[in-house]
Amino acid sequence: MASKVIHAFYDDDDVLMLAVKRVRAAKFHIEEVFCPFPVHGLDKAMGLAPTRLAITAFLYGCVGITVATLMMNYIMIEDWPQDIGGKPSFSYLENMPAFVPIMFELTVFFAAHLMVITFYLRSRLWPFKEAENPDVRTTDDHFLMEIEIHDNEQELRDLLIDTGAVEINVSEKNSH
């Protein structure tokens, strides 16, 4: 199913931010904004919900510290207890201060690596995926705001020109 979208190009991030706010104030739905670099505050200006990735980072850290604790207890206490520096391994709690660096490292390791995997899956980024940006200039020096057209093309055009768009194009977008 193809739908018509309007692409408004901007050459400055401050102009883009003001344009996003004006377009949203005019009750138009912005499909996507493509930028060559992260623009601070753009997600709030677009009205996007806050990310929940921090919650998953905490959960992945909990998995990491659990794996570290179980692994060290099994390896150093149950399976192959060792007398290191005259300190016997009778219980995990007696030796826990020596295990703190390993617990910390595995917590960070699990959180970091699983967060990267989660980000790629959530963003639908995988190897050999075709790029979705509609214009290559958005990877260099232009910002693009994409808005779906619903029998309001001229009204949208006038608003976007008024917001400082340097170029406006209409194209077909295939929804997947």
Side-chain angles (χ1 to χ4, degrees):
M1 172 96 189
S3 60
K4 283 177 73 173
V5 293
I6 193 162
H7 291 157
F9 290 86
Y10 297 89
D11 57 5
D12 183 61
D13 57 330
D14 294 327
V15 175
L16 172 76
M17 282 292 287
L18 293 173
V20 166
K21 290 174 183 173
R22 286 194 52 200
V23 168
R24 289 229 354 161
K27 304 292 187 217
F28 289 108
H29 175 69
I30 300 170
E31 289 290 322
E32 187 66 76
V33 175
F34 297 90
C35 303
F37 55 82
V39 178
H40 181 70
L42 183 60
D43 52 341
K44 287 183 182 173
M46 287 179 63
L48 299 177
T51 180
R52 295 183 305 266
L53 285 176
I55 297 168
T56 59
F58 175 75
L59 294 175
Y60 294 152
C62 291
V63 169
I65 200 165
T66 302
V67 167
T69 303
L70 294 173
M71 179 189 74
M72 289 181 299
N73 184 56
Y74 177 75
I75 293 171
M76 296 298 291
I77 307 301
E78 295 175 18
D79 185 45
W80 196 270
Q82 298 176 30
D83 187 354
I84 300 172
K87 299 175 185 170
S89 298
F90 294 128
S91 74
Y92 183 81
L93 289 177
E94 288 176 347
N95 295 313
M96 197 172 87
F99 297 150
V100 168
I102 299 166
M103 292 164 53
F104 172 77
E105 290 297 332
L106 280 177
T107 300
V108 172
F109 179 85
F110 271 74
H113 286 79
L114 292 174
M115 280 301 299
V116 168
I117 292 168
T118 301
F119 173 75
Y120 283 142
L121 291 175
R122 180 69 180 94
S123 301
R124 295 186 179 99
L125 294 173
W126 39 79
F128 311 112
K129 183 175 191 276
E130 190 176 321
E132 292 182 6
N133 61 332
D135 194 296
V136 295
R137 293 177 291 175
T138 60
T139 63
D140 184 27
D141 62 349
H142 277 72
F143 303 87
L144 185 146
M145 185 187 326
E146 182 178 273
I147 305 169
E148 193 166 345
I149 299 173
H150 301 286
D151 297 327
N152 55 358
E153 183 177 339
Q154 192 56 46
E155 180 186 356
L156 252 175
R157 245 181 216 282
D158 295 340
L159 175 64
L160 293 171
I161 289 171
D162 194 42
T163 62
V166 294
E167 181 181 333
I168 297 174
N169 299 328
V170 175
S171 64
E172 295 286 326
K173 179 180 181 178
N174 293 325
S175 59
H176 353 161

